[in-house]
Amino acid sequence: MRDRFVSRLFIIIILFTLIMALMPLWSGSLIWSYFSSFESFSHFQVVCTKFLVGFLLLLVMLFSKKNKIVVSDFFLLLSFVSILLSALVNGLDGFSFTVLTGLLFYYVIFTVYPNYCVSDNLLNLCTYMLLLWCILPLVHFFFSSRDTQLLFYTNLEGSISTFSGYAFHRNWYAIYVGMTILLLLFSNFKWSVKCILGLLLLIGLVMSESRSVFVSVVCSILVYCFFKYKLNGRFLFLLLVLSVVSFFLYVYFDEYSLRGYASSGDDGRSEIWNYYWSFIKDHFFWGNGKPLLYVDSYSLLPNYAHNFVLQSVADYGILSLVFFLLYLVCHFVSISNKAKTLFVYLIIISLFQPYYMMGTPTLFAMNVFFLSELSSKSIN
């Protein structure tokens, strides 16, 4: 009875976090018109993620069966102890203890969840939801008036960007398109269906013009092929072709796309990275004691580092990052090839985008880790 209750809690958490991530927030949506600003929606989203999901995770802990403590759990604990020490050294100024939600999340997803069975139907449902969310805006776009089409290219500041689907930002749309491509690769759909759906997803990815996501998808597919086929001639040829294509797109994409017209090359990333690097040199061991933000001259908005490593060290110091990376490595070596593929996708994305940070996990990180575990359990 308790096992069934915990399994249902997992189903609620997985579906809730995915629905929250896929809420239609493009400029033409009713939800977007309801919130006064993106900041107000972000606050609503963070409250739901930290408190509601945190409460559900706590219920899982209370009703789940006892689990053995393993070495990786000590690394996770040491990481969060280092976070608390960083906050204490910095006088607890602005520190939120809700960061401990992350400690609860990682323990539950990597230690508790593997002991419970969830139907393959849940993975199929999540895949169908993602496919619909990724492909439907393409259909909507191509059969809409010019005014409506323009809304798909309007960013949060009201200026022209690239295609963002039903998401609040083109990169948010792109990272979920990329994840859906990988789930489609894992699925048991017929190859003809995979090719058709894959082509539509690729169109969405190209229209979003997110170079980092394209590179992440390519690298993740190579990882999957490596674990499946090992180092044979077919794999090495595929590696060479995709590497050349990825390099060309990443370096020269701006010169031949709307992205080059709508942005200034690196979107201010070099300025942001230089600031964070300068900050880290003065706060290497203990960091800022809380998430660090920087207002760059490109967007004139508070920005995260757009790099998981820089952000983590700047926030809580090098010790917390080292222990956390050791924890992730221990987890990586023990998971399935499908989970490794999604894990690599998340890590590469985190080197260029602000959608994965140490401490409280983002919605994207929750979705990736839960879908990784679902894919590992799948019989497909």
Side-chain angles (χ1 to χ4, degrees):
M1 193 71 178
R2 288 164 63 98
D3 287 353
R4 183 181 300 176
F5 176 69
V6 172
S7 296
R8 288 176 178 174
L9 283 175
F10 276 122
I11 293 173
I12 292 171
I13 295 171
I14 292 169
L15 290 178
F16 175 76
T17 52
L18 186 59
I19 289 171
M20 285 294 296
L22 302 185
M23 289 182 71
L25 276 179
W26 64 300
S27 300
S29 70
L30 293 175
I31 295 177
W32 175 248
S33 62
Y34 175 79
F35 289 95
S36 58
S37 65
F38 177 69
E39 286 71 25
S40 62
F41 173 77
S42 296
H43 179 71
F44 166 75
Q45 198 177 50
V46 167
V47 168
C48 289
T49 303
K50 287 185 177 180
F51 294 100
L52 183 54
V53 174
F55 174 72
L56 293 173
L57 291 172
L58 189 59
L59 286 179
V60 169
M61 285 288 293
L62 292 174
F63 288 94
S64 63
K65 44 187 122 174
K66 293 182 180 180
N67 297 278
K68 293 181 180 179
I69 302 296
V70 295
V71 174
S72 61
D73 294 331
F74 286 107
F75 288 133
L76 179 64
L77 182 61
L78 287 172
S79 176
F80 277 82
V81 167
S82 300
I83 289 175
L84 292 176
L85 287 175
S86 169
L88 287 170
V89 168
N90 288 278
L92 294 176
D93 180 30
F95 177 74
S96 173
F97 283 93
T98 54
V99 73
L100 297 178
T101 304
L103 176 64
L104 190 60
F105 169 78
Y106 287 110
Y107 181 78
V108 167
I109 187 64
F110 294 147
T111 305
V112 178
Y113 181 67
N115 297 321
Y116 290 87
C117 293
V118 179
S119 171
D120 272 0
N121 292 333
L122 180 59
L123 176 61
N124 293 334
L125 176 60
C126 292
T127 303
Y128 293 142
M129 288 171 61
L130 284 164
L131 285 168
L132 184 65
W133 187 82
C134 294
I135 294 174
L136 187 59
L138 295 174
V139 178
H140 189 173
F141 173 80
F142 285 112
F143 289 95
S144 296
S145 65
R146 285 293 180 88
D147 291 339
T148 302
Q149 288 179 341
L150 186 61
L151 294 176
F152 285 99
Y153 281 83
T154 305
N155 62 20
L156 299 174
E157 293 79 38
S159 57
I160 298 301
S161 182
T162 56
F163 188 77
S164 61
Y166 288 150
F168 65 88
H169 193 277
R170 65 184 185 87
N171 286 331
W172 190 257
Y173 174 70
I175 62 176
Y176 277 89
V177 170
M179 185 168 66
T180 307
I181 290 174
L182 297 177
L183 290 175
L184 183 64
L185 180 66
F186 303 156
S187 71
N188 61 347
F189 293 161
K190 293 180 179 179
W191 272 105
S192 57
V193 176
K194 283 187 179 184
C195 290
I196 295 171
L197 293 177
L199 179 60
L200 292 173
L201 292 172
L202 186 59
I203 291 172
L205 186 57
V206 170
M207 289 176 66
S208 74
E209 300 187 18
S210 181
R211 300 174 301 170
S212 57
V213 175
F214 181 85
V215 172
S216 301
V217 170
V218 169
C219 292
S220 301
I221 292 175
L222 287 173
V223 167
Y224 181 69
C225 292
F226 172 76
F227 285 118
K228 192 169 184 178
Y229 303 114
K230 303 304 179 183
L231 281 173
N232 59 21
R234 184 189 308 174
F235 172 78
L236 292 175
F237 177 75
L238 182 64
L239 174 63
L240 177 63
V241 172
L242 290 180
S243 297
V244 171
V245 172
S246 299
F247 175 80
F248 176 82
L249 286 174
Y250 196 84
V251 174
Y252 298 106
F253 205 31
D254 285 344
E255 298 181 17
Y256 307 100
S257 67
L258 177 63
R259 175 189 169 88
Y261 167 78
S263 70
S264 59
D266 66 358
D267 293 350
R269 275 186 178 83
S270 58
E271 178 189 341
I272 296 172
W273 288 346
N274 286 334
Y275 169 80
Y276 274 84
W277 178 243
S278 299
F279 182 88
I280 287 170
K281 286 190 287 188
D282 296 327
H283 304 80
F284 185 68
F285 283 103
W286 301 114
N288 190 46
K290 61 182 178 181
L292 181 68
L293 293 169
Y294 171 67
V295 179
D296 67 282
S297 59
Y298 173 77
S299 68
L300 301 179
L301 293 171
N303 260 301
Y304 290 105
H306 288 68
N307 182 283
F308 168 72
V309 175
L310 291 178
Q311 187 72 53
S312 300
V313 179
D315 289 349
Y316 303 114
I318 188 64
L319 293 178
S320 59
L321 176 63
V322 169
F323 289 130
F324 189 67
L325 290 178
L326 287 172
Y327 173 72
L328 292 181
V329 169
C330 290
H331 168 67
F332 182 82
V333 298
S334 64
I335 57 180
S336 71
N337 293 341
K338 293 178 181 178
K340 281 185 172 74
T341 303
L342 287 170
F343 187 87
V344 168
Y345 177 71
L346 171 67
I347 294 301
I348 298 176
I349 287 290
S350 73
L351 298 178
F352 302 97
Q353 304 292 345
Y355 301 132
Y356 182 49
M357 291 176 287
M358 196 168 59
T360 305
T362 61
L363 277 173
F364 176 58
M366 289 184 181
N367 294 151
V368 170
F369 284 128
F370 274 123
L371 289 172
S372 296
E373 293 297 326
L374 280 176
S375 299
S376 298
K377 293 172 176 289
S378 173
I379 61 174
N380 294 336

